[in-house]
Amino acid sequence: MTIIDQTTFTISCSCGESESKTIHQHGSRYGGTWEPVGSMVKFTVYWNSDDELTAPEITSAQCKSCGADDCYIAIK
């Protein structure tokens, strides 16, 4: 199975912390599944990934350095 799609999540905090994570969808022209989201180093992240068929989404993120929970989330 090959990578058929990917999404990169970048989280930034006003304290200057920033981190990116790319998640891949593996499959073929007949369908695919998203890899497990895992954790991040600088942020506590809560994911909405109900199943392997739906692209994961971040529901909330909290900076581990300063504790802020109003982090900016960019999706590419």
Side-chain angles (χ1 to χ4, degrees):
M1 293 185 32
T2 61
I3 295 173
I4 58 174
D5 197 3
Q6 69 180 23
T7 301
T8 300
F9 298 90
T10 301
I11 305 173
S12 303
C13 182
S14 58
C15 76
E17 293 289 1
S18 182
E19 184 175 3
S20 295
K21 182 172 187 70
T22 300
I23 300 170
H24 298 102
Q25 184 183 33
H26 299 270
S28 67
R29 63 182 174 181
Y30 301 108
T33 57
W34 289 91
E35 65 189 12
V37 292
S39 60
M40 297 180 88
V41 175
K42 298 179 181 180
F43 295 89
T44 300
V45 181
Y46 296 95
W47 299 89
N48 179 12
S49 55
D50 294 334
D51 58 56
E52 294 178 336
L53 303 177
T54 306
E57 298 176 352
I58 295 176
T59 56
S60 66
Q62 183 176 23
C63 180
K64 291 182 181 178
S65 291
C66 72
D69 60 1
D70 59 347
C71 303
Y72 175 75
I73 301 168
I75 303 169
K76 181 179 172 188

